[in-house]
Amino acid sequence: MSKYQFNCIRYRHFLRTSNISQIPDFTKYCIGPVNEELAPYIMETMKAYPSNSKYINPQHYYHNRTVLVENYLKRSPNPVSLTQLAQYYDDSTKLTRTKIINSGKFVKEELVIRIAHKLNQLQQLPFNVVNNFHFVQVYESYYNIFESFRKYPTIRTLDDASQFADFIKNMLEGFNTLNLPHLIMGALECTILDLYPREKMDQLLSDLLRARISRRLIVEEHVSITANYTSGKEENTLVLGDIFQECSAMKYLLEASEESKKFIQDMYFKDIPMPEFIIEGDTQLSFYFLPTHLKYLLGEILRNTYEATMKHYIRKGLEKPEPIIVTVVSNDESYLFRISDKAGGVLHDDENLWSFGKSKERAQESLNNFHKLPGLQTVSIYDEVHSHNKYNPNLKSLQSITLKPYMHTSLEPMSYPSIINGHIKYETPLIELLRRSFRYKLGIGLAMCKVYAEYWNGDLSLHSMPGYGTDVVLKLGNLMKHTKKVQLDKV
Ligand SMILES: Nc1ncnc2c1ncn2[C@@H]1O[C@H](COP(=O)(O)OP(=O)(O)OP(=O)(O)O)[C@@H](O)[C@H]1O
Ligand SMILES: [Mg+2]
């Protein structure tokens, strides 16, 4: 039997049975004692180290100890403020050669240290957890990033800094594409197997996601500052750098509403009556924010609201759908969006709404949907790690394989490379999210939004009045008030 055939069997096994990839039940495939053909694969699964792994091998412990523990873990990550990120540690807005070189040096050092601490966080997990089929791949991918950044030559000249900017663009494009789905599937499997408490699992995922947002911000600012300088710009005039923009609340709300309506039309039929969409309060509000994050947050929340409203309308046989009312409020510190519907409230029990791990039943449902995503089980991070290097010609094709499974799901924006015409656009594909199919409900929309809202000094809460409706309250910090605050993985 070829390895491919074996994987197919494993894959089918996931679909039919409990969807746990960790300990396959080999007796399902052969009556009587396990046969010789299967034996090597069983050995493979039971081995302490994955045989294809470049990092997790018998030398890993020593390498890890001398390099990671005794060196990088002794250094702490530098909390940074938004201004520091935009200006790169000098107070002037002038773009100079020295600033670009310093920026490159900082990004290289800082990313190695930050990823080292995340590796350490994974190493502190119970062995069963970090050795989970999905988590171990995230671990390996982080180790790979750690090694690549650590070994990257020192940045001395402007050329070095530009090349480094290209290198990190490639990193964003090539690695990491599977990390988020693997993290979530790992969390779901550990919940189902009772390997780790749900609250701790949520905390872990939230930590890793926030660290991811920070790393991307740091990388993005460097790429943008380098591109600006090399294209002849001498002054960095924007307060928070290129990636933050002034956003009109009304415009973003209306866009999110239109996207949700399209999704409802796809789900039902084109001429289905739509709920009235009313915006009240500070309708003229406009504020500095990351456009893609704002779109993502409002889009994700309104999708839920529209879906609940339409289901309620159909379930109750109402004459027309109940209206959706958004109230915008702002003060010096923050901006608040209250999205109110009369869709009968949340049907599921509350505590699982914010959880990546969920209750066992919900985790199983969510995991089942993950397993329905085409191709997911047949792609391993190991494939990617092994064929990737800076000049790797296979990168593109690997990418297309690894991306396919997430098309039109809530994971697509996180996995799709954020590169358009050679420039990274910060999480641009988050926008793609609003076009995803409703078929694959992964149940992580609210949990993800909470992480993003909290990152930006805000909050997300949901108040359900069973039998009546739901208020979802999204609060976002006024970033202009927090430009000088130094924080780690938060603004
Ligand atoms: N306004 C609302 N009214 C009623 N129920 C809601 C509302 N908003 C959210 N919910 C409930 O909360 C659940 C979780 O929402 P969440 O966005 O996290 O996941 P999902 O919509 O099920 O899946 P995904 O967003 O990943 O496709 C929804 O399934 C729905 O039952
Ligand atoms: Mg949702």
Side-chain angles (χ1 to χ4, degrees):
M1 185 193 296
S2 72
K3 189 151 187 174
Y4 172 74
Q5 284 169 315
F6 178 71
N7 277 336
C8 290
I9 292 181
R10 264 182 77 154
Y11 178 52
R12 262 182 268 139
H13 167 73
F14 296 138
L15 292 180
R16 260 191 294 119
T17 63
S18 60
N19 278 340
I20 302 295
S21 55
Q22 201 170 23
I23 309 162
D25 177 3
F26 293 105
T27 57
K28 301 247 178 216
Y29 316 127
C30 30
I31 304 150
V34 172
N35 68 24
E36 276 170 29
E37 224 175 353
L38 273 180
Y41 300 106
I42 297 175
M43 291 309 292
E44 176 65 37
T45 325
M46 303 299 170
K47 271 195 328 207
Y49 310 102
S51 41
N52 276 334
S53 175
K54 192 166 148 194
Y55 303 108
I56 309 171
N57 50 37
Q59 288 78 41
H60 183 59
Y61 174 80
Y62 301 99
H63 179 273
N64 184 66
R65 218 174 96 175
T66 45
V67 179
L68 188 108
V69 179
E70 285 170 12
N71 190 350
Y72 286 93
L73 284 186
K74 294 208 165 130
R75 306 186 225 165
S76 304
N78 288 297
V80 287
S81 72
L82 287 175
T83 309
Q84 283 171 338
L85 263 188
Q87 310 293 355
Y88 267 103
Y89 287 105
D90 77 40
D91 285 336
S92 92
T93 52
K94 286 250 171 311
L95 292 179
T96 60
R97 173 186 292 262
T98 323
K99 188 178 255 182
I100 307 302
I101 296 170
N102 284 344
S103 160
K105 280 183 183 161
F106 169 77
V107 174
K108 173 175 145 47
E109 277 312 299
E110 187 62 18
L111 288 189
V112 186
I113 296 167
R114 287 185 181 217
I115 208 87
H117 283 271
K118 291 298 140 198
L119 276 169
N120 185 45
Q121 201 174 348
L122 290 175
Q123 288 176 0
Q124 303 309 313
L125 293 171
F127 183 70
N128 260 352
V129 175
V130 73
N131 202 35
N132 168 278
F133 175 79
H134 299 290
F135 275 129
V136 80
Q137 302 197 50
V138 176
Y139 179 80
E140 172 126 3
S141 163
Y142 277 24
Y143 217 92
N144 193 34
I145 296 171
F146 172 68
E147 286 293 276
S148 312
F149 273 90
R150 184 174 75 81
K151 291 180 182 164
Y152 196 90
T154 311
I155 294 159
R156 293 199 175 84
T157 63
L158 186 62
D159 255 7
D160 293 347
S162 299
Q163 274 176 24
F164 180 63
D166 287 343
F167 166 76
I168 49 184
K169 267 198 261 180
N170 274 335
M171 290 289 279
L172 278 194
E173 193 177 7
F175 294 140
N176 258 333
T177 53
L178 288 166
N179 278 350
L180 186 83
H182 275 302
L183 267 177
I184 296 166
M185 290 170 83
L188 294 170
E189 289 196 357
C190 290
T191 304
I192 297 167
L193 289 167
D194 267 334
L195 296 180
Y196 203 56
R198 192 163 53 86
E199 302 75 46
K200 282 189 167 181
M201 186 58 87
D202 284 335
Q203 191 57 49
L204 173 75
L205 260 66
S206 164
D207 282 354
L208 296 175
L209 283 174
R210 276 188 284 115
R212 177 186 182 279
I213 301 175
S214 290
R215 289 197 303 271
R216 291 181 81 96
L217 269 178
I218 292 175
V219 164
E220 173 70 15
E221 286 282 14
H222 175 66
V223 171
S224 132
I225 207 172
T226 311
N228 281 344
Y229 182 75
T230 44
S231 69
K233 211 170 153 189
E234 289 175 356
E235 187 91 15
N236 194 9
T237 41
L238 293 160
V239 204
L240 298 176
D242 270 350
I243 56 178
F244 293 88
Q245 282 167 26
E246 200 166 353
C247 305
S248 142
M250 168 89 94
K251 177 173 162 267
Y252 278 76
L253 280 166
L254 288 176
E255 271 176 22
S257 156
E258 285 310 309
E259 288 291 340
S260 303
K261 283 182 186 163
K262 273 191 224 149
F263 145 78
I264 293 294
Q265 283 168 341
D266 275 1
M267 192 165 157
Y268 299 101
F269 55 94
K270 202 167 175 301
D271 295 323
I272 191 162
M274 287 291 171
E276 202 184 341
F277 186 69
I278 303 163
I279 306 174
E280 295 178 346
D282 192 353
T283 52
Q284 297 312 308
L285 174 71
S286 130
F287 60 106
Y288 267 97
F289 207 71
L290 261 179
T292 42
H293 281 196
L294 185 60
K295 260 188 177 178
Y296 171 65
L297 287 161
L298 294 176
E300 197 68 46
I301 296 166
L302 281 182
R303 254 175 87 108
N304 284 346
T305 308
Y306 268 89
E307 190 180 337
T309 300
M310 297 311 288
K311 283 187 172 158
H312 182 74
Y313 156 69
I314 292 164
R315 200 170 45 232
K316 294 278 170 191
L318 303 176
E319 209 173 297
K320 56 185 177 105
E322 297 283 3
I324 295 169
I325 303 174
V326 182
T327 315
V328 184
V329 185
S330 66
N331 68 9
D332 237 21
E333 276 295 312
S334 38
Y335 312 108
L336 195 134
F337 299 82
R338 184 185 63 199
I339 296 110
S340 313
D341 65 51
K342 293 186 197 164
V346 178
L347 303 174
H348 292 288
D349 102 43
D350 246 2
E351 62 171 349
N352 294 324
L353 283 183
W354 309 105
S355 175
F356 289 100
K358 317 222 169 272
S359 68
K360 279 191 190 188
E361 297 71 37
R362 298 271 284 151
Q364 189 67 66
E365 271 172 42
S366 183
L367 195 61
N368 282 342
N369 279 339
F370 267 102
H371 286 267
K372 279 182 203 145
L373 304 182
L376 192 65
Q377 296 301 317
T378 53
V379 185
S380 152
I381 267 179
Y382 297 137
D383 302 337
E384 201 180 0
V385 165
H386 282 282
S387 51
H388 181 87
N389 66 44
K390 158 158 85 139
Y391 308 107
N392 177 16
N394 296 327
L395 184 63
K396 280 270 178 295
S397 61
L398 266 171
Q399 222 176 61
S400 54
I401 300 168
T402 53
L403 291 174
K404 255 190 205 142
Y406 316 113
M407 292 284 193
H408 313 301
T409 76
S410 40
L411 294 178
E412 183 179 31
M414 310 300 290
S415 57
Y416 201 83
S418 315
I419 297 187
I420 292 167
N421 301 332
H423 298 285
I424 301 183
K425 292 280 170 242
Y426 194 86
E427 300 274 40
T428 303
L430 276 177
I431 296 154
E432 291 290 314
L433 169 65
L434 306 173
R435 299 185 198 126
R436 81 185 189 265
S437 154
F438 70 94
R439 267 185 306 155
Y440 302 117
K441 285 229 149 289
L442 304 178
I444 52 160
L446 288 176
M448 291 273 291
C449 284
K450 199 170 177 72
V451 173
Y452 278 78
E454 284 176 357
Y455 188 95
W456 298 112
N457 214 359
D459 188 19
L460 181 66
S461 57
L462 183 148
H463 310 271
S464 159
M465 180 75 106
Y468 183 77
T470 309
D471 276 5
V472 178
V473 181
L474 170 69
K475 193 170 101 178
L476 299 172
N478 176 352
L479 301 186
M480 300 308 273
K481 276 269 163 188
H482 299 278
T483 51
K484 301 266 187 276
K485 197 166 168 187
V486 282
Q487 291 261 47
L488 192 67
D489 298 341
K490 196 173 184 324
V491 161

